[in-house]
Amino acid sequence: MKIKNPKLWHKMPGGIIEGENVLYSRKYLKDVENLYKSKEISNEGKNTLMYEVYSYSEGDETQYGNLFWGLTILHPVYIEKECNMTKGHFHENRNCVEYYFGLEGEGLLLLMDEMGQMSAEKVLPGSLHYIAGNFAHRLVNIGEIPLKIGACWPTTAGHDYRAVEEMPFPYRIYKNNGKIELVER
Ligand code: PAN
Ligand code: ZN
């Protein structure tokens, strides 16, 4: 019997499990500019790479009980001092929970319930974050290096971005002279 080599999931960007069932997507500023307060983004700025998402699963994605394993990389970009963030979403299936955990860099995880109440957790290497099924979640990079987090969630969860567009997270996150500021909209 041959012993198999393990998948080095945290090295996904290095291509270690490339060619297997890995999905990859990226967002440029032009894809997410509406999230930011600034309306003065140059055409050149719009091509800034903001974040990358790898996700991986085996077997049938429509099968209840199956899981995605994911890696998100949020680059250290500031739009007039506002920190880089993911779009943020609820899961379409509000029963589907998720774990995030910090790998590299420094961030915040914003959690918002369906009434629009928000809390925030510090994300750092080794931190573990349980995201209940009925909470919208958004990652924010508050550091100077890429923020990398691992994630695990059901393949049947789905992404509900619309609910967050209709009821945005109530705070914007800025870094001003090295200090993090949460500013109410
Ligand atoms: C993550 C997120 C990823 C990107 O894999 O999808 O961090 O964030 P947005 O999807 O909000 O752009 C996750 O939470 N999956 O469920
Ligand atoms: Zn999610």
Coordinates of all heavy atoms in Angstrom, one line a residue, residues 14-73:
G14 N 0.2 28.5 -4.1 CA 1.4 27.9 -4.7 C 1.1 26.8 -5.7 O 1.9 26.3 -6.3
G15 N -0.2 26.5 -5.8 CA -0.6 25.6 -6.8 C -0.5 24.1 -6.4 O -0.7 23.2 -7.2
I16 N -0.3 23.9 -5.1 CA -0.1 22.5 -4.7 C -1.2 21.6 -5.0 O -1.0 20.4 -5.4 CB 0.3 22.5 -3.2 CG1 1.5 23.3 -3.0 CG2 0.4 21.0 -2.7 CD1 2.7 22.7 -2.3
I17 N -2.5 22.0 -4.9 CA -3.6 21.2 -5.3 C -4.3 21.6 -6.5 O -5.4 21.3 -6.8 CB -4.6 20.9 -4.1 CG1 -5.3 22.2 -3.7 CG2 -3.9 20.3 -2.9 CD1 -6.5 21.9 -2.8
E18 N -3.5 22.4 -7.3 CA -4.0 22.9 -8.6 C -4.4 21.7 -9.5 O -3.8 20.6 -9.4 CB -3.0 23.7 -9.3 CG -3.4 25.1 -9.6 CD -2.3 25.9 -10.1 OE1 -1.6 25.5 -11.0 OE2 -2.1 27.0 -9.6
G19 N -5.4 21.9 -10.3 CA -5.7 20.8 -11.2 C -6.7 19.9 -10.6 O -7.4 19.1 -11.3
E20 N -6.9 20.0 -9.3 CA -8.0 19.2 -8.7 C -9.2 20.1 -8.6 O -9.3 21.0 -9.4 CB -7.5 18.7 -7.3 CG -6.3 17.8 -7.5 CD -6.0 17.0 -6.2 OE1 -6.9 16.7 -5.4 OE2 -4.8 16.9 -5.9
N21 N -10.1 19.9 -7.7 CA -11.3 20.6 -7.7 C -11.3 22.0 -7.1 O -12.1 22.3 -6.2 CB -12.4 19.7 -7.0 CG -13.6 19.6 -7.8 OD1 -13.7 20.2 -8.8 ND2 -14.6 18.9 -7.2
V22 N -10.4 22.9 -7.6 CA -10.2 24.2 -6.9 C -10.8 25.3 -7.8 O -10.5 25.4 -9.0 CB -8.7 24.5 -6.7 CG1 -8.5 25.8 -6.0 CG2 -8.1 23.4 -5.9
L23 N -11.7 26.0 -7.2 CA -12.3 27.2 -7.9 C -11.5 28.4 -7.4 O -11.1 28.5 -6.3 CB -13.7 27.4 -7.5 CG -14.7 26.2 -7.7 CD1 -16.1 26.5 -7.1 CD2 -14.8 26.0 -9.2
Y24 N -11.4 29.4 -8.3 CA -10.6 30.6 -8.0 C -11.3 31.8 -8.5 O -11.7 31.8 -9.7 CB -9.2 30.5 -8.6 CG -8.3 31.7 -8.5 CD1 -7.9 32.1 -7.3 CD2 -8.0 32.5 -9.6 CE1 -7.1 33.3 -7.1 CE2 -7.3 33.6 -9.5 CZ -6.8 34.0 -8.3 OH -6.1 35.1 -8.1
S25 N -11.4 32.8 -7.7 CA -12.0 34.1 -8.3 C -11.3 35.2 -7.6 O -10.7 35.1 -6.6 CB -13.5 34.1 -8.0 OG -13.7 34.3 -6.6
R26 N -11.4 36.4 -8.3 CA -10.7 37.6 -7.8 C -11.6 38.8 -8.0 O -12.3 38.8 -9.0 CB -9.3 37.8 -8.3 CG -9.2 37.9 -9.7 CD -7.7 38.0 -10.1 NE -7.5 37.1 -11.2 CZ -6.3 36.8 -11.7 NH1 -5.2 37.3 -11.2 NH2 -6.2 36.0 -12.7
K27 N -11.4 39.7 -7.1 CA -12.2 41.0 -7.2 C -11.2 42.1 -7.4 O -10.2 42.3 -6.6 CB -13.0 41.2 -6.0 CG -14.1 40.2 -5.8 CD -15.4 40.6 -6.5 CE -16.6 39.7 -6.2 NZ -16.5 38.4 -6.8
Y28 N -11.5 43.0 -8.4 CA -10.8 44.2 -8.5 C -11.6 45.3 -8.0 O -12.8 45.2 -7.8 CB -10.5 44.5 -10.0 CG -9.6 43.5 -10.6 CD1 -10.0 42.3 -11.2 CD2 -8.2 43.7 -10.5 CE1 -9.1 41.4 -11.8 CE2 -7.3 42.7 -11.1 CZ -7.8 41.6 -11.7 OH -6.9 40.7 -12.2
L29 N -11.0 46.5 -7.8 CA -11.7 47.6 -7.2 C -12.9 47.9 -8.0 O -14.0 48.3 -7.5 CB -10.8 48.8 -7.0 CG -11.3 50.0 -6.3 CD1 -12.0 49.7 -5.0 CD2 -10.3 51.1 -6.1
K30 N -12.8 47.8 -9.3 CA -14.0 48.2 -10.2 C -15.2 47.2 -9.9 O -16.3 47.6 -10.1 CB -13.7 48.1 -11.6 CG -13.1 46.8 -12.1 CD -12.9 46.9 -13.6 CE -12.2 45.6 -14.1 NZ -10.8 45.8 -14.6
D31 N -14.9 46.0 -9.3 CA -16.0 45.1 -9.0 C -16.7 45.5 -7.7 O -17.8 45.0 -7.4 CB -15.5 43.7 -8.9 CG -14.8 43.2 -10.1 OD1 -15.3 43.5 -11.2 OD2 -13.7 42.6 -10.0
V32 N -16.0 46.2 -6.8 CA -16.5 46.4 -5.4 C -16.5 47.9 -5.0 O -16.6 48.2 -3.9 CB -15.6 45.6 -4.4 CG1 -15.9 44.1 -4.6 CG2 -14.1 45.9 -4.5
E33 N -16.3 48.8 -6.0 CA -16.1 50.2 -5.7 C -17.3 50.8 -4.9 O -17.2 51.7 -4.1 CB -15.8 51.0 -6.9 CG -16.9 51.0 -8.0 CD -16.5 51.8 -9.2 OE1 -16.2 53.0 -9.0 OE2 -16.4 51.3 -10.3
N34 N -18.5 50.2 -5.2 CA -19.7 50.7 -4.5 C -19.7 50.5 -3.0 O -20.4 51.2 -2.2 CB -21.0 50.0 -5.0 CG -21.2 50.4 -6.4 OD1 -20.7 51.4 -6.9 ND2 -22.0 49.6 -7.1
L35 N -18.8 49.6 -2.5 CA -18.7 49.4 -1.0 C -18.1 50.6 -0.3 O -18.3 50.8 0.9 CB -17.8 48.2 -0.7 CG -18.3 46.8 -1.3 CD1 -17.2 45.7 -1.0 CD2 -19.6 46.4 -0.9
Y36 N -17.3 51.4 -1.1 CA -16.5 52.4 -0.4 C -17.2 53.8 -0.4 O -17.9 54.1 -1.4 CB -15.1 52.5 -1.1 CG -14.4 51.2 -0.8 CD1 -14.5 50.1 -1.7 CD2 -13.6 51.0 0.3 CE1 -13.9 48.9 -1.5 CE2 -13.0 49.8 0.6 CZ -13.1 48.7 -0.3 OH -12.5 47.5 0.0
K37 N -16.8 54.5 0.6 CA -17.4 55.9 0.7 C -16.9 56.8 -0.5 O -17.6 57.6 -1.0 CB -17.0 56.5 2.0 CG -17.4 57.9 2.2 CD -18.3 58.0 3.4 CE -18.8 59.5 3.5 NZ -19.7 59.7 4.6
S38 N -15.6 56.6 -0.8 CA -15.0 57.5 -1.8 C -15.6 57.3 -3.2 O -15.9 56.2 -3.6 CB -13.5 57.2 -1.9 OG -13.0 57.9 -3.0
K39 N -15.9 58.5 -3.8 CA -16.4 58.4 -5.1 C -15.4 58.9 -6.1 O -15.7 59.2 -7.3 CB -17.8 59.2 -5.2 CG -18.9 58.7 -4.4 CD -19.4 57.3 -4.8 CE -20.1 56.6 -3.7 NZ -19.6 55.3 -3.3
E40 N -14.2 59.1 -5.7 CA -13.1 59.7 -6.5 C -12.1 58.6 -6.9 O -10.9 58.9 -6.7 CB -12.4 60.8 -5.7 CG -13.3 61.7 -4.9 CD -13.5 63.0 -5.6 OE1 -12.5 63.7 -5.7 OE2 -14.7 63.3 -5.9
I41 N -12.5 57.5 -7.4 CA -11.6 56.4 -7.7 C -11.2 56.6 -9.2 O -12.0 56.6 -10.0 CB -12.2 55.0 -7.4 CG1 -12.5 54.9 -5.9 CG2 -11.2 53.9 -7.8 CD1 -13.4 53.8 -5.5
S42 N -9.8 56.7 -9.4 CA -9.4 56.9 -10.8 C -9.5 55.6 -11.6 O -9.7 54.5 -11.0 CB -7.9 57.2 -10.8 OG -7.1 56.1 -10.3
N43 N -9.5 55.7 -12.9 CA -9.6 54.6 -13.8 C -8.5 53.6 -13.5 O -8.7 52.4 -13.5 CB -9.6 55.0 -15.2 CG -11.0 55.5 -15.6 OD1 -12.0 55.1 -15.0 ND2 -11.1 56.3 -16.6
E44 N -7.3 54.2 -13.2 CA -6.1 53.3 -13.0 C -6.4 52.5 -11.6 O -6.1 51.3 -11.5 CB -4.9 54.2 -12.8 CG -3.6 53.5 -12.9 CD -2.5 54.5 -12.6 OE1 -2.6 55.7 -12.9 OE2 -1.5 54.0 -12.0
G45 N -6.9 53.3 -10.6 CA -7.2 52.7 -9.3 C -8.2 51.5 -9.4 O -8.1 50.6 -8.6
K46 N -9.1 51.6 -10.4 CA -10.1 50.6 -10.5 C -9.6 49.2 -10.8 O -10.2 48.2 -10.6 CB -11.1 51.0 -11.6 CG -12.0 52.2 -11.1 CD -13.1 52.5 -12.0 CE -13.7 53.9 -11.5 NZ -15.1 54.1 -11.9
N47 N -8.3 49.2 -11.4 CA -7.7 47.9 -11.7 C -6.9 47.3 -10.6 O -6.3 46.3 -10.7 CB -6.9 48.0 -12.9 CG -7.7 48.3 -14.2 OD1 -8.8 47.7 -14.3 ND2 -7.3 49.1 -15.1
T48 N -7.0 47.9 -9.4 CA -6.3 47.3 -8.2 C -6.9 46.0 -7.8 O -8.2 45.9 -7.6 CB -6.4 48.3 -7.0 OG1 -6.0 49.6 -7.5 CG2 -5.6 47.9 -5.8
L49 N -6.1 45.0 -7.6 CA -6.6 43.7 -7.1 C -6.9 43.8 -5.6 O -6.0 44.1 -4.8 CB -5.5 42.6 -7.4 CG -5.8 41.2 -6.9 CD1 -7.1 40.7 -7.6 CD2 -4.7 40.3 -7.2
M50 N -8.1 43.5 -5.3 CA -8.5 43.7 -3.9 C -8.5 42.4 -3.1 O -7.9 42.3 -2.0 CB -9.9 44.3 -3.8 CG -10.1 45.6 -4.5 SD -9.0 46.9 -3.8 CE -10.0 47.4 -2.4
Y51 N -9.2 41.3 -3.6 CA -9.1 40.1 -2.9 C -9.3 38.9 -3.9 O -9.8 39.0 -5.0 CB -10.1 40.0 -1.8 CG -11.5 40.1 -2.0 CD1 -12.3 39.0 -2.0 CD2 -12.2 41.3 -2.0 CE1 -13.7 39.0 -2.1 CE2 -13.6 41.4 -2.1 CZ -14.3 40.3 -2.2 OH -15.7 40.3 -2.3
E52 N -8.8 37.7 -3.4 CA -8.8 36.5 -4.1 C -9.4 35.4 -3.2 O -9.2 35.4 -2.0 CB -7.4 36.1 -4.5 CG -6.6 37.1 -5.3 CD -5.2 36.8 -5.4 OE1 -4.8 36.0 -6.3 OE2 -4.4 37.4 -4.6
V53 N -10.2 34.5 -3.9 CA -10.8 33.5 -3.1 C -10.6 32.1 -3.8 O -10.9 32.0 -5.0 CB -12.4 33.7 -3.0 CG1 -13.0 32.6 -2.2 CG2 -12.7 35.1 -2.4
Y54 N -10.1 31.2 -3.0 CA -9.9 29.8 -3.5 C -11.0 29.0 -2.7 O -11.1 29.1 -1.5 CB -8.6 29.3 -3.2 CG -7.4 29.9 -3.9 CD1 -6.9 31.2 -3.5 CD2 -6.8 29.3 -5.0 CE1 -5.9 31.8 -4.1 CE2 -5.8 29.9 -5.7 CZ -5.3 31.2 -5.2 OH -4.3 31.8 -5.9
S55 N -11.6 28.1 -3.4 CA -12.5 27.1 -2.7 C -12.4 25.8 -3.3 O -12.1 25.6 -4.5 CB -13.9 27.6 -2.6 OG -14.5 27.7 -3.9
Y56 N -12.6 24.8 -2.5 CA -12.3 23.4 -2.9 C -13.3 22.5 -2.3 O -13.7 22.6 -1.1 CB -10.8 23.1 -2.4 CG -10.5 21.7 -2.3 CD1 -10.2 21.0 -3.4 CD2 -10.5 21.0 -1.1 CE1 -9.9 19.6 -3.4 CE2 -10.2 19.7 -1.0 CZ -9.9 19.0 -2.1 OH -9.6 17.7 -2.1
S57 N -13.8 21.5 -3.0 CA -14.6 20.5 -2.5 C -14.4 19.2 -3.3 O -14.0 19.3 -4.4 CB -16.1 20.9 -2.4 OG -16.6 20.7 -3.7
E58 N -14.8 18.1 -2.7 CA -14.7 16.9 -3.4 C -16.2 16.4 -3.5 O -17.0 16.6 -2.6 CB -13.9 15.9 -2.7 CG -12.4 16.2 -2.9 CD -11.5 15.1 -2.4 OE1 -11.9 13.9 -2.4 OE2 -10.3 15.4 -2.1
G59 N -16.5 15.6 -4.5 CA -17.8 15.0 -4.6 C -18.8 16.0 -5.1 O -18.5 17.0 -5.7
D60 N -20.1 15.7 -4.9 CA -21.2 16.4 -5.4 C -21.5 17.6 -4.5 O -21.9 17.5 -3.4 CB -22.4 15.4 -5.4 CG -23.7 16.0 -5.9 OD1 -23.6 17.2 -6.3 OD2 -24.7 15.3 -6.0
E61 N -21.4 18.8 -5.1 CA -21.6 20.0 -4.4 C -23.0 20.2 -3.9 O -23.3 21.0 -3.0 CB -21.2 21.3 -5.2 CG -19.7 21.4 -5.2 CD -19.3 22.6 -6.1 OE1 -20.1 23.5 -6.4 OE2 -18.1 22.6 -6.5
T62 N -24.0 19.5 -4.6 CA -25.4 19.7 -4.3 C -25.8 18.8 -3.1 O -26.9 18.8 -2.7 CB -26.3 19.5 -5.5 OG1 -26.1 18.1 -5.9 CG2 -25.9 20.4 -6.7
Q63 N -24.8 17.9 -2.7 CA -25.1 16.9 -1.7 C -25.1 17.6 -0.3 O -24.1 18.1 0.1 CB -24.1 15.8 -1.8 CG -24.2 14.7 -0.7 CD -25.5 13.9 -0.8 OE1 -25.8 13.4 -1.9 NE2 -26.2 13.9 0.3
Y64 N -26.2 17.5 0.4 CA -26.4 18.0 1.7 C -25.3 17.3 2.6 O -25.2 16.1 2.5 CB -27.8 17.7 2.3 CG -28.0 18.1 3.7 CD1 -28.2 19.4 4.1 CD2 -27.9 17.1 4.7 CE1 -28.3 19.7 5.4 CE2 -28.1 17.4 6.0 CZ -28.3 18.7 6.4 OH -28.4 19.0 7.7
G65 N -24.6 18.1 3.4 CA -23.5 17.5 4.2 C -22.1 17.6 3.7 O -21.1 17.5 4.4
N66 N -22.0 18.0 2.4 CA -20.7 18.2 1.8 C -20.2 19.6 2.2 O -20.9 20.5 2.6 CB -20.8 18.1 0.3 CG -19.5 17.9 -0.4 OD1 -18.4 17.9 0.3 ND2 -19.5 17.7 -1.7
L67 N -18.9 19.7 2.2 CA -18.2 21.0 2.7 C -17.3 21.6 1.7 O -16.6 20.9 0.9 CB -17.4 20.7 4.0 CG -18.2 20.2 5.2 CD1 -17.2 19.8 6.3 CD2 -19.1 21.3 5.7
F68 N -17.2 22.9 1.7 CA -16.1 23.6 1.0 C -15.0 23.9 2.0 O -15.2 24.2 3.1 CB -16.6 25.0 0.5 CG -17.3 25.0 -0.8 CD1 -18.6 25.5 -0.9 CD2 -16.7 24.5 -2.0 CE1 -19.3 25.5 -2.1 CE2 -17.4 24.5 -3.2 CZ -18.7 25.0 -3.3
W69 N -13.8 23.9 1.4 CA -12.6 24.4 2.2 C -12.2 25.6 1.4 O -12.0 25.5 0.2 CB -11.6 23.3 2.2 CG -10.4 23.6 3.0 CD1 -9.2 24.0 2.7 CD2 -10.4 23.5 4.4 NE1 -8.4 24.1 3.8 CE2 -9.1 23.8 4.9 CE3 -11.4 23.1 5.4 CZ2 -8.8 23.8 6.2 CZ3 -11.0 23.1 6.7 CH2 -9.7 23.5 7.1
G70 N -11.9 26.7 2.0 CA -11.6 27.9 1.3 C -10.4 28.7 1.8 O -10.0 28.5 3.0
L71 N -9.9 29.5 1.0 CA -8.8 30.4 1.4 C -9.1 31.8 0.8 O -9.4 31.9 -0.4 CB -7.5 29.9 0.8 CG -6.3 30.8 1.0 CD1 -5.9 30.9 2.5 CD2 -5.1 30.2 0.3
T72 N -9.2 32.8 1.6 CA -9.4 34.2 1.1 C -8.2 35.0 1.4 O -7.6 34.9 2.5 CB -10.6 34.9 1.8 OG1 -11.8 34.1 1.5 CG2 -10.8 36.3 1.4
I73 N -7.7 35.8 0.4 CA -6.6 36.7 0.5 C -7.0 38.1 0.2 O -7.4 38.4 -0.9 CB -5.4 36.3 -0.4 CG1 -5.1 34.8 -0.2 CG2 -4.2 37.2 -0.3 CD1 -4.2 34.2 -1.3

